[in-house]
Amino acid sequence: MSENGNRAVAYLKPGAVEVRTIDHPTLELQDGPGVAAENVGRKCRHGVILKVLASNICGSDQHMVRGRTTAPEGLVLGHEITGEVLERGPDVEFIEVGDIVSVPFNIACGRCRNCKERKTGICLNVNPARPGAAYGYVDMGGWVGGQAQYAMVPYADFNLLRFPDRDQAREKLLDLTMLSDIFPTGFHGAVTAGAGVGSTVYVAGAGPVGLAAAASAQLLGAAVVIVGDLNAERLAQARSFGCETVDVSEGPVEDQIAQILGEPEVDAAVDAVGFEARAHGPDAEEAPATVLNSLMGITRAGGALGIPGLYVTDDPGGIDQDARTGTLKVRLGLGWAKSHRLSTGQCPVMRYHRGLMQAILHERVHIAKAVNATVIGLEDAPRGYAEFDQGASHKYVLDPHGTLAGVRPV
């Protein structure tokens, strides 16, 4: 490892991040911003140290950077990590130094009841505050984020997805880096919404997760995938790989769907927006339940809503007191009357990532192209965050060591 420090992206204050030098990771969780007191000093003999080859900026990170969570100053960001193993702990049996691996954003012990039931998004042993943990995220145990040159991953044998061929992994790294979060998360949204062969699917939100959900619905065999948003550039990106689109500022969504399908309903709907949703219209105020209520209106009776969009328990910037505690005015009566199924929560990445890796390696999907993956240097992270916040239709991939120089989506 470099002797010049470990450069990493840290949350500074609402609207600002900075790249700073932090300590090199060790196989022990140290005290720091956001680290749960009970986790300080936690020894990770089962962990590895990674050289980070790619780490992506996520919309979930953007919620923190906007000041919409209780993230502390100095929190090192980044839960989408792909890397090369530099060091392994004495209890690691199957992961080898030199392996190139994808890191699920869920941190999971592999030992608790939930992990054994493949519910790795709500592991019971990695976060003293609540079920579930993630790297570089507020209230998720304080595990240091991976928007850095080097990172530590605990429970390596269980958590890591090893790519079978190093050369192939490097060649397809821009696609494979999406396996840590947004591709499985979008796929989870499509699966839980009931997307399948011949189905009609509506995806609310044309950000990276929404685009990943749309590509996933296509992979699952959907007949028509419709993506709705206010952002013309992002809607154009959805059309670039065969989706129909709806500009939600141009009239009722159900009317626009009827123009496409001949009926105002779809079989399956995905909420890829989350709690910062706005009422329809370019100057509309926030209305955090508006997407959920809209989707219940346009989903057929007996259909389902997949909800990978983030909802939080604490939102300091919420529009009212209810919104600040994650209490939303959802038309549950409508969903009940239509017998809808609603699926929420963190995606259990390990349920999907191996199969999606195979789809990438065998050219069944081109996820980096679908989400417009765009490589920038680690030091350019503040610019990436600012442009993403302004609605740029890019999935920014940080390249801490120049591994992705010259790589483009294919």
Side-chain angles (χ1 to χ4, degrees), residues 12-352:
L12 185 60
K13 61 183 179 180
V17 300
E18 68 175 11
V19 183
R20 57 175 60 170
T21 300
I22 63 170
D23 291 338
H24 281 290
T26 67
L27 296 175
E28 180 176 319
L29 191 55
Q30 306 295 323
D31 197 5
V35 178
E38 299 91 332
N39 263 351
V40 174
R42 186 168 181 160
K43 293 179 170 53
C44 298
R45 294 168 54 89
H46 41 67
V48 298
I49 306 298
L50 295 183
K51 176 183 178 180
V52 178
L53 303 181
S55 185
N56 317 327
I57 295 176
C58 180
S60 299
D61 299 320
Q62 196 71 67
H63 292 307
M64 287 189 290
V65 174
R66 288 186 186 125
R68 298 299 295 267
T69 71
T70 55
E73 187 274 331
L75 181 72
V76 175
L77 303 170
H79 55 272
E80 300 189 15
I81 308 166
T82 307
E84 179 180 357
V85 177
L86 292 182
E87 176 188 341
R88 66 179 203 165
D91 290 348
V92 177
E93 293 187 74
F94 307 114
I95 296 293
E96 302 288 348
V97 170
D99 286 342
I100 297 179
V101 296
S102 177
V103 183
F105 79 90
N106 321 113
I107 302 174
C109 71
R111 297 151 164 83
C112 71
R113 172 183 177 177
N114 284 346
C115 284
K116 290 177 179 179
E117 293 177 356
R118 302 182 73 198
K119 300 172 183 173
T120 52
I122 43 175
C123 174
L124 300 173
N125 289 330
V126 286
N127 182 358
R130 65 178 73 172
Y135 305 90
Y137 211 84
V138 61
D139 295 332
M140 287 293 181
W143 301 88
V144 179
Q147 287 175 14
Q149 293 175 301
Y150 304 95
M152 189 271 283
V153 174
Y155 304 104
D157 284 324
F158 183 66
N159 281 300
L160 294 179
L161 174 65
R162 174 169 44 192
F163 300 134
D165 182 280
R166 281 177 51 88
D167 292 337
Q168 187 184 33
R170 286 184 174 273
E171 178 185 335
K172 293 186 176 294
L173 195 60
L174 203 54
D175 287 279
L176 294 171
T177 191
M178 303 304 162
L179 292 171
S180 57
D181 181 357
I182 68 160
F183 193 12
T185 292
F187 193 83
H188 182 60
V191 166
T192 54
V197 174
S199 60
T200 56
V201 181
Y202 178 78
V203 179
V209 170
L211 296 171
S216 297
Q218 292 176 335
L219 186 62
L220 289 162
V224 183
V225 180
I226 305 169
V227 179
D229 204 297
L230 294 160
N231 184 313
E233 184 183 352
R234 290 181 171 182
L235 290 174
Q237 181 63 27
R239 289 192 295 273
S240 75
F241 60 96
C243 297
E244 300 284 348
T245 58
V246 163
D247 184 333
V248 299
S249 69
E250 294 186 354
V253 172
E254 59 270 24
D255 292 349
Q256 296 187 64
I257 289 175
Q259 291 175 9
I260 296 167
L261 299 177
E263 58 182 0
E265 291 186 326
V266 293
D267 298 320
V270 179
D271 174 2
V273 177
F275 74 104
E276 287 194 70
R278 292 184 177 274
H280 298 164
D283 299 315
E285 289 188 333
E286 279 195 12
T290 193
V291 170
L292 292 173
N293 290 331
S294 173
L295 295 190
M296 285 189 284
I298 64 173
T299 303
R300 69 174 180 87
L305 280 61
I307 310 173
L310 177 68
Y311 289 87
V312 295
T313 56
D314 293 292
D315 173 12
I319 194 166
D320 54 33
Q321 187 56 46
D322 282 341
R324 293 184 194 109
T325 59
T327 304
L328 310 183
K329 295 178 180 178
V330 176
R331 292 190 65 193
L332 189 59
L334 176 60
W336 188 94
K338 297 177 77 172
S339 294
H340 284 158
R341 302 180 307 282
L342 280 66
S343 296
T344 67
Q346 287 187 40
C347 166
V349 170
M350 275 189 270
R351 190 176 299 174
Y352 307 110

Side-chain angles (χ1 to χ4, degrees), residues 345-405:
Q346 287 187 40
C347 166
V349 170
M350 275 189 270
R351 190 176 299 174
Y352 307 110
H353 67 172
R354 184 173 298 279
L356 296 177
M357 174 190 73
Q358 292 288 83
I360 289 170
L361 295 179
H362 293 281
E363 304 285 343
R364 297 295 297 167
V365 66
H366 300 278
I367 190 63
K369 189 173 183 180
V371 302
N372 198 18
T374 303
V375 178
I376 61 175
L378 185 69
E379 301 293 334
D380 290 328
R383 172 176 65 83
Y385 271 98
E387 292 178 1
F388 189 37
D389 190 49
Q390 293 301 310
S393 184
H394 297 277
K395 175 65 174 176
Y396 287 107
V397 178
L398 302 180
D399 183 14
H401 297 279
T403 309
L404 292 166

